[in-house]
Amino acid sequence: MFTHTHFNTVGKVTVPFGATQDARHENVFLFDANVLFDTNNRDMDHAFASYLADFAEQRSCYLLSNMNYAETVSRIPTRLRRRFAGIFASAGTEFWRGNEVLVRHEHDFSDDVYEYVARMVLHSAYPQKQAPLIDSGSASLRICLAGTRVGRTAKQDYLAWENEHLELDAFMASFERRFPDHAICKDTETSLLITPNSFSTAEVQNQLLRRHKSARVIAYLGNRAAGGYAKPMCDALLRENVLSTVAGPSDISQLLSYEKKVMKDINPKAAAPVRLFQGAWQ
């Protein structure tokens, strides 16, 4: 694959056929949890989950999630979850293997930050306001004004209202002025993520390279993550590493079908036959 390349997808993915894999490097794959799900579904497609699990049996694969660990694993089928070598949860501030946290960045958010967030929630002008999601991690804070465990229709209604009123954008600008020692971004269309400047997602790459000394990191991220909370990691990627921005499971399947072909060409006995996930070309 081309090094440190961005594949921006608008309906299809550009796959670098003809590029060769450097056998000196072990390829380590990092997947954005949010792009493993179709935009209209909360649950992962079973065929895609099986396809990805088969791939993860042959390569070291990790997951990067804006959600906390419990919420992340609740959405990942068990077989696939067990194939991941580790999960970077809560925007990368925690690293989990199995059900054990191995690395955790600690930060005590000030009372001022919590009070500011509480005032934002209280003063929201959204007319259908429900109990908001406020998820406080060890070094991350997520807020979703659409509410906790709301259905698809309710979330779509909130998104339509937010797109018209841009309340989250106004809150982000206000928060940045008040707390310059924190980073804030939209981690989804309807939620905000706050982390302290003492943490950078560049640490995710560092953790991967500590575990795989000569690895080349290949990251498949959604545009929201790549331009938001994971941007420090993307900016810090070493030259030989690869960043592909993808829209969903079909894009990932198309790219992994190419990876499987490369694996088969390098070591025909070790790699499984190339098998394309059914929805990849749709």
Side-chain angles (χ1 to χ4, degrees):
M1 296 181 74
F2 298 129
T3 57
H4 206 166
T5 302
H6 299 255
F7 299 105
N8 294 306
T9 60
V10 183
K12 64 178 181 179
V13 180
T14 302
V15 182
F17 290 106
T20 59
Q21 177 175 313
D22 187 346
R24 296 172 299 174
H25 291 285
E26 172 196 2
N27 284 344
V28 173
F29 294 83
L30 179 68
F31 297 91
D32 175 3
N34 280 328
V35 297
L36 301 184
F37 305 89
D38 289 324
T39 54
N40 294 326
N41 294 320
R42 180 175 175 83
D43 297 324
M44 189 181 299
D45 181 274
H46 290 295
F48 173 70
S50 178
Y51 176 83
L52 185 54
D54 290 343
F55 181 84
E57 285 183 341
Q58 304 172 61
R59 285 291 186 264
S60 296
C61 294
Y62 293 80
L63 194 65
L64 175 64
S65 177
N66 59 321
M67 300 172 286
N68 63 47
Y69 178 75
E71 184 176 359
T72 300
V73 299
S74 71
R75 299 185 62 188
I76 305 294
T78 301
R79 177 172 176 258
L80 174 58
R81 186 173 74 246
R82 290 174 176 170
R83 296 298 182 273
F84 281 120
I87 296 176
F88 293 93
S90 298
T93 60
E94 298 177 352
F95 176 67
W96 292 74
R97 177 169 289 168
N99 288 319
E100 180 183 3
V101 60
L102 302 183
V103 179
R104 172 176 282 152
H105 185 87
E106 299 283 356
H107 176 78
D108 291 327
F109 289 101
S110 68
D111 290 342
D112 285 348
V113 169
Y114 284 114
E115 289 173 4
Y116 206 82
V117 169
R119 285 200 301 272
M120 181 272 289
V121 171
L122 181 63
H123 296 148
S124 171
Y126 182 53
Q128 307 298 325
K129 187 163 49 178
Q130 302 183 35
L133 166 68
I134 302 179
D135 179 20
S136 180
S138 62
S140 64
L141 188 61
R142 290 189 68 229
I143 308 103
C144 181
L145 289 175
T148 57
R149 301 187 181 278
V150 294
R152 186 187 309 169
T153 300
K155 185 168 288 188
Q156 289 175 341
D157 289 344
Y158 173 76
L159 178 59
W161 182 90
E162 169 59 26
N163 287 339
E164 179 180 354
H165 294 85
L166 302 178
E167 190 176 66
L168 293 181
D169 289 342
F171 176 73
M172 287 173 57
S174 175
F175 185 91
E176 287 172 341
R177 291 192 297 269
R178 178 67 177 80
F179 301 100
D181 55 346
H182 290 68
I184 184 170
C185 68
K186 286 184 181 178
D187 63 324
T188 72
E189 293 179 308
T190 60
S191 61
L192 299 175
L193 176 68
I194 299 170
T195 54
N197 287 347
S198 60
F199 172 77
S200 169
T201 48
E203 181 61 22
V204 171
Q205 178 183 227
N206 296 339
Q207 290 289 336
L208 290 174
L209 294 180
R210 288 190 191 107
R211 289 167 168 76
H212 305 271
K213 301 298 184 183
S214 62
R216 177 172 61 173
V217 178
I218 300 177
Y220 296 141
L221 306 182
N223 281 312
R224 178 81 56 187
Y229 76 91
K231 188 175 187 301
M233 182 196 73
C234 298
D235 292 342
L237 282 176
L238 301 177
R239 185 182 181 278
E240 61 269 20
N241 295 334
V242 179
L243 169 64
S244 297
T245 52
V246 295
S250 293
D251 292 354
I252 293 175
S253 175
Q254 185 174 336
L255 288 167
L256 292 189
S257 69
Y258 166 77
E259 289 293 341
K260 284 191 173 186
K261 179 179 183 300
V262 171
M263 290 158 54
K264 184 179 180 182
D265 290 343
I266 292 176
N267 190 347
K269 293 182 179 180
V274 177
R275 179 170 59 88
L276 192 63
F277 169 55
Q278 185 176 1
W281 301 106
Q282 296 176 355

